C-alpha cells in the first residue's frame, strides 16, 4: 500500500467533504488523517487528507475529484519523497546549521542541495556536510547582477523550497516574483509585526520588551509582511543587551524556522491571501 | 438556521467520513467545522462536526448515520445551550472564583447551579454570585455519610458536569462510579504523572524542579490517574518555597481548569480509554 | 523582628553594594534577599533589598545610606502593608474580576478601594465585593469634564496605584501627568509594540499572526508606549476569528495584569527611562 | 582591565554581602553583576559576582574574602576562557549536533575535545567537526571493562565538563563517583520526576499527557534523580504517537541541554544538596 497527501483548495460549498471523501472511498483509498478549514471571512475551503491505497491512477483520481468541486478548484496528490532545499545565508551559522544537522540526521525530510551566500563565512560549514556552496559577495557585484547570479544558481539546483536563513540583504520585488508563492521562506528575528526591518534585537532592547521572538513567513514584495507560518517567543528581562538578546533569540529563530520548514515539507501549509492555514 | 454539534465514535473503517458527511449533505446540513481522529493504536474513530441547518428530524438523522456506521457506534447531536455545573470545593478560592467570574461574564457557556464544600470557607464567595452553597464538614460525618449527602446534593442540582475545584479529600470508588465517565473533572496541582497524591508543591520544592504545573483530568477509581484533558506549566527557580510555589501555581491551576471546562462545554473532548481526544 | 524593603536608585559607582550593605550591617539589619542591576547603557544603578531587623530609626538609616551614595540618590524603606488600588474600567469584566477575586482571597496584597467606569456595566460586579463604584458615562460629559470628575474621584480614594483595567477611552496628557510615574498602570491587549492603538485582536486577525499577547505597562503621554512591566503570549491558529482571539486573549490579559500588579505591590519594579527593571 | 567570576558558598550569616563586596572594593574591583541566594531551608549562602579590575593578586583576594567568611566557605575566582567538554553518546545525533554547531559558531564558550560512543553511529558527525571519536561497543566488552575504558578516555581528554548527550546505557555508581559533583551532566527526555527510566516517550504516549519535556541534571548514583539544572516542555495532543513524540521532544532536549551547559559554562550553577541554584 502506498501513501499520498491529497490537497484541495476551492470556494466553500455544502457537501465538499462528502464529495471528496466519497471519491476517495470509491477508489478504495483510506483516509488515515484529514484536516479541513473553511474561512468564514472569504469563503475559501482548504483540505489536507493523508490517503493510503493504490495510486496508479492518480491523474484520474484528481480529475474525478475536480469534477465534483466548484470551478477553479486546485487539487494535488503529493508523494512523500525527500524534497530539495536551497538555502541563502549571510554570516550567521545557527539556522543553516540546524537545517544541515536535521537533514543529516533524518529529522528533516529534505536534502539541502545548495547553499548560496553573499559572504563566504559559511562555506566551511556547508562543506562539512558536502553541500555545494556558492558565494556572490555584496562587494563584487551590483545588486542587480548579484540577484541575477543568485537566481541562476538557485534554478540550477532545482529546489522545491528556497529558504532565507538569515540572508541579510533586502531582495528586489523582481527577485521575489521569480518564485511561486509558497516556495520562498524567510526567518525574521522578531515576533512580527513588531520590529519589522533592520536590527530587531536592537529595537527590542530600546523598547524594553519582556519577550523576544522569531517569525517564519513566506516572502512577498512587502518586506516582513508576507503570510506568517510559525512564531514563537522567549522571556527576557532588563539584564539583556542587544548582544545577549541576539544570542538568546538565535535559539528561537532556528527552532521556528525548523518547525515551519517541517510543516511545509509535510504539505501542511496553505497560503490563504496574506495569511496561512497550517494543519 | 440552527446549529448542532454532531459527535461520532465507533470502530475505524474505510469511508467513515464519506458516509457521515454524505448523510449530512442529504439532509441539507452544512459542515462548518469538522475534526476527526482515528487511533492507530486501537482502531477507534472519533469525529466532531459543527453543523448548520434544520434539525427538526434530528432523531431520524442520528438513526440514518448510525445505520451507515459499524455496529456499536455512538452518535449524538448536541445543542449549544448553557450547561449546568456543580462545583465541589474545600478552602481555596481561586478555581471556584475563576469559574464564577467567567460564568458571570458570559465567557463560560454554563451556569454554576450548586457549590458544595467540606469546609464552609467559600460559602461567602458563592453567595456573592447567588449560587446555593451546601457544606458537609469533614468533622461532622463519617466519610460514608458525607459522600452520600454530597451525592444527594449533587443529584438534586441536576448538573451536566461536576467539577472538583481543589476539593481536598479523597473520594471513594463508590462515589466516583456514581458518575458517567466524562462528567467528573478534577484539577490536580502538578503536571501529572509527576507529584501524584498529597502536597505536590511541597514535593516539587523538595525535588528542586524548574517547572511547576497543573493537570485537569477526568476522575477514575485510581487517584490522579484518569484521562488527562489539559496541562500547563510555568517556570520557577531556586527562590521559590512551597508557599510561593503554591501561589504561582494557583494561576496555572485556574487557567488549566478553565480551558478544560471550556473544551468540555464545547463538546470537544472525547474519552479514549485512559486518554482523551481533545479537538 | 520587622521586615522592610530597601529601594535604592542612583548613578553607578564602584563599591555601591558594599556601601549600602555595610550600612545595613552596621544597623544590625539582615539582608534576606537582594537584587541589583547596573545599566551599562546609561550608568544607572538599582537595588532592592529585603531587610529584617529593627526599623525604629528608619529615617536615620535612610539618611546614612544616602550620605554614602552619589548625589541625587533615591532611597526608600517600604513596609509591606496592603496597598490601596483604584481601578478604571469600561465594559469588560475579566481584569477587574481577577483583581477583585485575588484581593478577596488574599493572593493580592492590596485592597481595591474604588472602581470608576465610563459605562455602568461593571457596577454590579464591584458591588458583589462591596467596592464603591462610580460611573461617569462618556455620553454625559465633555471629555474634559469627564476626566476632571474621574481625577477627583481617584484622588478622593487615596490610591497607591491606579489601574486601567481595559478602560477603553484615550486619556489626555493632562490626565496622565496628574500621576507620578510608576503609579498608573495599563493593560494593553497585544504584545506591544505590535498592534498599538485600537482593536488589536482585529489587527491580529487581519495580519494572520500565530501568537497573541498582552502587555502591562506604565502609562505615559504616548499611547501604548510607556515602560513595559510584563508581557505574555499564547499560540493561536487560522481557526480563530477576532471574537475567539479576544476570548482567548482575555485570559492572557488578566494574568499579565495580575503578575504586573503583584510585582509592583512587592516593590520589585523600577522605572528606568522608558523601560523597567523588574526583580 | 580583566574580568573574573567570583563564586562564594558558605553558611548564611548577617553581613556576608557587605563583607565580600567590601573586600572587592578594597581591591579596586568593580562588581558589574551580582546574584546571591540564601536558602531559608538549610541556611546556605551562594553568591556569584562578575568583577572587573586587576587580578594579579587573585590568591590574596580569595584568602582575604575567606578570612571574612564563616568556617568552611568555598571561594573561587574563575576566568572566562573556553572550557573543555567531553561528550558521551549512543545513536541519536541531535544533542551532540547542537553542541558541535554552537561550539563551532562560537555561541558555546567551549571546545568539544572528545566524543565517546557505545555505538559508532556518530563517529562521522564528530569527524565533520574534527573532534576525536572513540567507540567502545556494548557488544565488545563487559560493562565493567567498557566503563573503565571510557573513564580512561575521558580522563585523557582532560575535560572541565562531561556530558551524557543521550548516552543510553545506565552507568554504575563507581563510574559516577569518579566525577566531582557538578561536572557530569545528563539530558533526560522527560520533565522529571515524571517518566524516569527507560522509554519516557512511550510512557508519555501510554499515559496520554498533553505536555512532553526534557530535563538537564547533574548525575548522581540514583538514576534520573540528581540535581535539576534546566527543564522545559512543549504541548502535544492525541495525534502524537511514540515516534512523533520523540521527534518533537528532540528539539526540546537539545535546547534544554544547550541552555544548561551555557549556564554551567557561565559559572551560574551551584549544586545545593540535591537541587541547584541557577543564577
Amino acid at each position: 500500500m502506498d501513501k499520498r497527501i491529497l490537497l484541495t483548495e476551492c470556494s466553500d460549498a455544502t457537501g465538499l467533504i462528502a464529495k471528496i471523501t466519497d471519491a476517495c472511498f470509491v477508489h478504495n483509498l483510506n483516509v488515515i488523517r484529514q484536516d479541513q478549514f473553511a474561512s468564514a471571512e472569504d469563503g475559501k475551503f482548504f483540505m489536507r487528507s493523508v490517503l493510503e491505497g493504490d495510486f496508479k491512477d492518480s491523474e484520474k483520481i484528481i480529475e474525478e475529484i475536480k469534477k465534483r468541486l466548484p470551478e477553479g478548484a486546485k487539487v494535488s496528490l503529493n508523494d512523500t519523497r525527500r524534497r530539495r532545499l536551497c538555502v541563502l545565508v549571510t554570516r550567521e551559522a545557527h539556522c543553516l546549521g540546524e537545517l544541515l544537522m536535521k537533514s543529516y540526521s533524518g529529522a528533516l525530510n529534505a536534502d539541502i542541495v545548495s547553499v548560496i551566500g553573499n559572504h563566504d563565512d559559511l562555506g566551511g560549514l556547508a562543506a562539512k556536510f558536502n553541500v555545494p556552496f556558492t558565494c556572490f559577495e555584496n562587494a563584487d557585484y551590483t545588486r542587480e547582477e548579484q540577484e541575477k547570479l543568485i537566481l541562476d544558481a538557485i534554478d540550477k539546483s532545482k529546489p522545491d523550497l528556497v529558504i532565507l536563513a538569515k540572508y541579510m540583504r533586502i531582495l528586489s520585488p523582481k527577485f521575489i516574483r521569480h518564485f511561486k508563492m509558497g516556495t520562498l521562506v524567510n526567518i525574521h528575528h522578531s515576533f512580527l509585526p513588531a520590529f519589522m526591518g533592520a536590527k530587531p534585537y536592537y529595537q527590542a532592547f530600546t523598547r524594553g520588551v519582556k519577550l523576544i521572538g522569531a517569525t517564519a513567513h513566506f516572502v512577498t514584495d512587502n518586506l516582513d509582511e508576507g503570510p506568517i507560518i510559525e512564531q514563537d517567543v522567549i522571556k527576557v528581562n532588563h539584564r539583556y543587551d542587544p548582544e545577549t538578546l541576539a544570542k538568546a533569540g538565535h535559539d528561537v529563530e532556528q527552532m521556528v524556522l525548523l518547525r515551519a520548514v517541517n510543516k511545509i515539507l509535510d504539505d501542511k501549509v496553505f497560503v490563504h491571501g496574506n495569511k496561512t492555514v497550517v494543519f
Side-chain angles (χ1 to χ4, degrees), chain A residues 148-164:
Chain A
K148 188 166 177 348
L149 287 164
I150 293 174
L151 280 182
D152 288 348
I154 292 172
D155 288 349
K156 238 178 63 187
S157 71
K158 297 191 198 323
D160 296 297
L161 200 61
V162 178
I163 297 168
L164 307 176

PDB file of all heavy atoms in Angstrom, chain A residues 148-164:
ATOM      1  N   LYS A 148      20.754  38.358 -10.129  1.00  0.00           N
ATOM      2  CA  LYS A 148      20.655  37.502 -11.305  1.00  0.00           C
ATOM      3  C   LYS A 148      21.488  36.237 -11.136  1.00  0.00           C
ATOM      4  O   LYS A 148      21.033  35.113 -11.409  1.00  0.00           O
ATOM      5  CB  LYS A 148      21.094  38.284 -12.552  1.00  0.00           C
ATOM      6  CG  LYS A 148      20.807  37.489 -13.802  1.00  0.00           C
ATOM      7  CD  LYS A 148      20.857  38.194 -15.076  1.00  0.00           C
ATOM      8  CE  LYS A 148      20.618  37.192 -16.242  1.00  0.00           C
ATOM      9  NZ  LYS A 148      20.665  35.770 -15.880  1.00  0.00           N
ATOM     10  N   LEU A 149      22.706  36.425 -10.620  1.00  0.00           N
ATOM     11  CA  LEU A 149      23.591  35.270 -10.401  1.00  0.00           C
ATOM     12  C   LEU A 149      22.995  34.310  -9.372  1.00  0.00           C
ATOM     13  O   LEU A 149      23.056  33.092  -9.526  1.00  0.00           O
ATOM     14  CB  LEU A 149      24.967  35.755  -9.931  1.00  0.00           C
ATOM     15  CG  LEU A 149      25.804  36.417 -11.028  1.00  0.00           C
ATOM     16  CD1 LEU A 149      26.959  37.220 -10.416  1.00  0.00           C
ATOM     17  CD2 LEU A 149      26.328  35.360 -12.009  1.00  0.00           C
ATOM     18  N   ILE A 150      22.420  34.881  -8.332  1.00  0.00           N
ATOM     19  CA  ILE A 150      21.816  34.032  -7.293  1.00  0.00           C
ATOM     20  C   ILE A 150      20.637  33.262  -7.874  1.00  0.00           C
ATOM     21  O   ILE A 150      20.501  32.048  -7.661  1.00  0.00           O
ATOM     22  CB  ILE A 150      21.379  34.880  -6.076  1.00  0.00           C
ATOM     23  CG1 ILE A 150      22.607  35.458  -5.359  1.00  0.00           C
ATOM     24  CG2 ILE A 150      20.556  34.044  -5.109  1.00  0.00           C
ATOM     25  CD1 ILE A 150      22.285  36.419  -4.227  1.00  0.00           C
ATOM     26  N   LEU A 151      19.785  33.969  -8.639  1.00  0.00           N
ATOM     27  CA  LEU A 151      18.628  33.284  -9.236  1.00  0.00           C
ATOM     28  C   LEU A 151      19.076  32.136 -10.135  1.00  0.00           C
ATOM     29  O   LEU A 151      18.495  31.045 -10.104  1.00  0.00           O
ATOM     30  CB  LEU A 151      17.784  34.273 -10.047  1.00  0.00           C
ATOM     31  CG  LEU A 151      16.834  35.157  -9.241  1.00  0.00           C
ATOM     32  CD1 LEU A 151      16.034  36.040 -10.194  1.00  0.00           C
ATOM     33  CD2 LEU A 151      15.891  34.323  -8.382  1.00  0.00           C
ATOM     34  N   ASP A 152      20.091  32.386 -10.927  1.00  0.00           N
ATOM     35  CA  ASP A 152      20.606  31.321 -11.807  1.00  0.00           C
ATOM     36  C   ASP A 152      21.096  30.131 -10.987  1.00  0.00           C
ATOM     37  O   ASP A 152      20.803  28.977 -11.300  1.00  0.00           O
ATOM     38  CB  ASP A 152      21.756  31.846 -12.669  1.00  0.00           C
ATOM     39  CG  ASP A 152      21.252  32.796 -13.760  1.00  0.00           C
ATOM     40  OD1 ASP A 152      20.009  32.858 -13.976  1.00  0.00           O
ATOM     41  OD2 ASP A 152      22.090  33.471 -14.383  1.00  0.00           O
ATOM     42  N   ALA A 153      21.830  30.448  -9.920  1.00  0.00           N
ATOM     43  CA  ALA A 153      22.362  29.376  -9.082  1.00  0.00           C
ATOM     44  C   ALA A 153      21.227  28.598  -8.419  1.00  0.00           C
ATOM     45  O   ALA A 153      21.272  27.374  -8.292  1.00  0.00           O
ATOM     46  CB  ALA A 153      23.311  29.948  -8.024  1.00  0.00           C
ATOM     47  N   ILE A 154      20.219  29.340  -7.955  1.00  0.00           N
ATOM     48  CA  ILE A 154      19.060  28.657  -7.345  1.00  0.00           C
ATOM     49  C   ILE A 154      18.414  27.736  -8.371  1.00  0.00           C
ATOM     50  O   ILE A 154      18.188  26.540  -8.113  1.00  0.00           O
ATOM     51  CB  ILE A 154      18.023  29.684  -6.823  1.00  0.00           C
ATOM     52  CG1 ILE A 154      18.583  30.458  -5.624  1.00  0.00           C
ATOM     53  CG2 ILE A 154      16.723  28.986  -6.442  1.00  0.00           C
ATOM     54  CD1 ILE A 154      17.703  31.619  -5.159  1.00  0.00           C
ATOM     55  N   ASP A 155      18.095  28.283  -9.526  1.00  0.00           N
ATOM     56  CA  ASP A 155      17.386  27.496 -10.542  1.00  0.00           C
ATOM     57  C   ASP A 155      18.152  26.244 -10.916  1.00  0.00           C
ATOM     58  O   ASP A 155      17.562  25.176 -11.118  1.00  0.00           O
ATOM     59  CB  ASP A 155      17.125  28.358 -11.791  1.00  0.00           C
ATOM     60  CG  ASP A 155      16.048  29.409 -11.536  1.00  0.00           C
ATOM     61  OD1 ASP A 155      15.383  29.319 -10.470  1.00  0.00           O
ATOM     62  OD2 ASP A 155      15.882  30.308 -12.364  1.00  0.00           O
ATOM     63  N   LYS A 156      19.469  26.403 -11.010  1.00  0.00           N
ATOM     64  CA  LYS A 156      20.301  25.252 -11.369  1.00  0.00           C
ATOM     65  C   LYS A 156      20.177  24.112 -10.358  1.00  0.00           C
ATOM     66  O   LYS A 156      20.315  22.934 -10.718  1.00  0.00           O
ATOM     67  CB  LYS A 156      21.776  25.690 -11.457  1.00  0.00           C
ATOM     68  CG  LYS A 156      22.401  25.423 -12.819  1.00  0.00           C
ATOM     69  CD  LYS A 156      23.830  25.896 -12.907  1.00  0.00           C
ATOM     70  CE  LYS A 156      24.756  25.189 -11.944  1.00  0.00           C
ATOM     71  NZ  LYS A 156      26.119  25.790 -11.936  1.00  0.00           N
ATOM     72  N   SER A 157      19.913  24.480  -9.109  1.00  0.00           N
ATOM     73  CA  SER A 157      19.836  23.426  -8.081  1.00  0.00           C
ATOM     74  C   SER A 157      18.450  22.803  -7.989  1.00  0.00           C
ATOM     75  O   SER A 157      18.228  21.899  -7.197  1.00  0.00           O
ATOM     76  CB  SER A 157      20.273  23.986  -6.718  1.00  0.00           C
ATOM     77  OG  SER A 157      19.288  24.882  -6.212  1.00  0.00           O
ATOM     78  N   LYS A 158      17.513  23.303  -8.809  1.00  0.00           N
ATOM     79  CA  LYS A 158      16.160  22.755  -8.882  1.00  0.00           C
ATOM     80  C   LYS A 158      15.526  22.476  -7.514  1.00  0.00           C
ATOM     81  O   LYS A 158      15.102  21.346  -7.222  1.00  0.00           O
ATOM     82  CB  LYS A 158      16.176  21.441  -9.690  1.00  0.00           C
ATOM     83  CG  LYS A 158      16.595  21.593 -11.139  1.00  0.00           C
ATOM     84  CD  LYS A 158      16.323  20.320 -11.910  1.00  0.00           C
ATOM     85  CE  LYS A 158      17.109  20.257 -13.218  1.00  0.00           C
ATOM     86  NZ  LYS A 158      17.265  21.553 -13.934  1.00  0.00           N
ATOM     87  N   PRO A 159      15.423  23.513  -6.690  1.00  0.00           N
ATOM     88  CA  PRO A 159      14.881  23.285  -5.342  1.00  0.00           C
ATOM     89  C   PRO A 159      13.352  23.239  -5.342  1.00  0.00           C
ATOM     90  O   PRO A 159      12.697  23.842  -6.204  1.00  0.00           O
ATOM     91  CB  PRO A 159      15.357  24.510  -4.577  1.00  0.00           C
ATOM     92  CG  PRO A 159      15.381  25.589  -5.619  1.00  0.00           C
ATOM     93  CD  PRO A 159      15.780  24.924  -6.904  1.00  0.00           C
ATOM     94  N   ASP A 160      12.790  22.504  -4.383  1.00  0.00           N
ATOM     95  CA  ASP A 160      11.355  22.587  -4.113  1.00  0.00           C
ATOM     96  C   ASP A 160      11.039  23.789  -3.241  1.00  0.00           C
ATOM     97  O   ASP A 160       9.934  24.325  -3.283  1.00  0.00           O
ATOM     98  CB  ASP A 160      10.893  21.308  -3.400  1.00  0.00           C
ATOM     99  CG  ASP A 160      11.054  20.074  -4.263  1.00  0.00           C
ATOM    100  OD1 ASP A 160      10.396  20.011  -5.312  1.00  0.00           O
ATOM    101  OD2 ASP A 160      11.870  19.195  -3.907  1.00  0.00           O
ATOM    102  N   LEU A 161      12.036  24.177  -2.439  1.00  0.00           N
ATOM    103  CA  LEU A 161      11.826  25.235  -1.455  1.00  0.00           C
ATOM    104  C   LEU A 161      13.120  26.026  -1.323  1.00  0.00           C
ATOM    105  O   LEU A 161      14.197  25.441  -1.291  1.00  0.00           O
ATOM    106  CB  LEU A 161      11.486  24.579  -0.108  1.00  0.00           C
ATOM    107  CG  LEU A 161      10.784  25.394   0.973  1.00  0.00           C
ATOM    108  CD1 LEU A 161       9.426  25.875   0.490  1.00  0.00           C
ATOM    109  CD2 LEU A 161      10.607  24.538   2.234  1.00  0.00           C
ATOM    110  N   VAL A 162      12.995  27.343  -1.246  1.00  0.00           N
ATOM    111  CA  VAL A 162      14.160  28.203  -1.060  1.00  0.00           C
ATOM    112  C   VAL A 162      14.019  28.914   0.289  1.00  0.00           C
ATOM    113  O   VAL A 162      12.966  29.483   0.584  1.00  0.00           O
ATOM    114  CB  VAL A 162      14.268  29.236  -2.198  1.00  0.00           C
ATOM    115  CG1 VAL A 162      15.453  30.172  -1.967  1.00  0.00           C
ATOM    116  CG2 VAL A 162      14.386  28.528  -3.535  1.00  0.00           C
ATOM    117  N   ILE A 163      15.067  28.871   1.085  1.00  0.00           N
ATOM    118  CA  ILE A 163      14.989  29.385   2.455  1.00  0.00           C
ATOM    119  C   ILE A 163      16.003  30.490   2.677  1.00  0.00           C
ATOM    120  O   ILE A 163      17.204  30.304   2.451  1.00  0.00           O
ATOM    121  CB  ILE A 163      15.231  28.237   3.457  1.00  0.00           C
ATOM    122  CG1 ILE A 163      14.128  27.202   3.293  1.00  0.00           C
ATOM    123  CG2 ILE A 163      15.266  28.769   4.889  1.00  0.00           C
ATOM    124  CD1 ILE A 163      14.401  25.918   4.013  1.00  0.00           C
ATOM    125  N   LEU A 164      15.498  31.633   3.133  1.00  0.00           N
ATOM    126  CA  LEU A 164      16.376  32.726   3.524  1.00  0.00           C
ATOM    127  C   LEU A 164      16.703  32.530   4.998  1.00  0.00           C
ATOM    128  O   LEU A 164      15.916  32.888   5.870  1.00  0.00           O
ATOM    129  CB  LEU A 164      15.702  34.078   3.292  1.00  0.00           C
ATOM    130  CG  LEU A 164      15.139  34.312   1.877  1.00  0.00           C
ATOM    131  CD1 LEU A 164      14.396  35.657   1.803  1.00  0.00           C
ATOM    132  CD2 LEU A 164      16.261  34.276   0.843  1.00  0.00           C
TER     133      LEU A 164
END
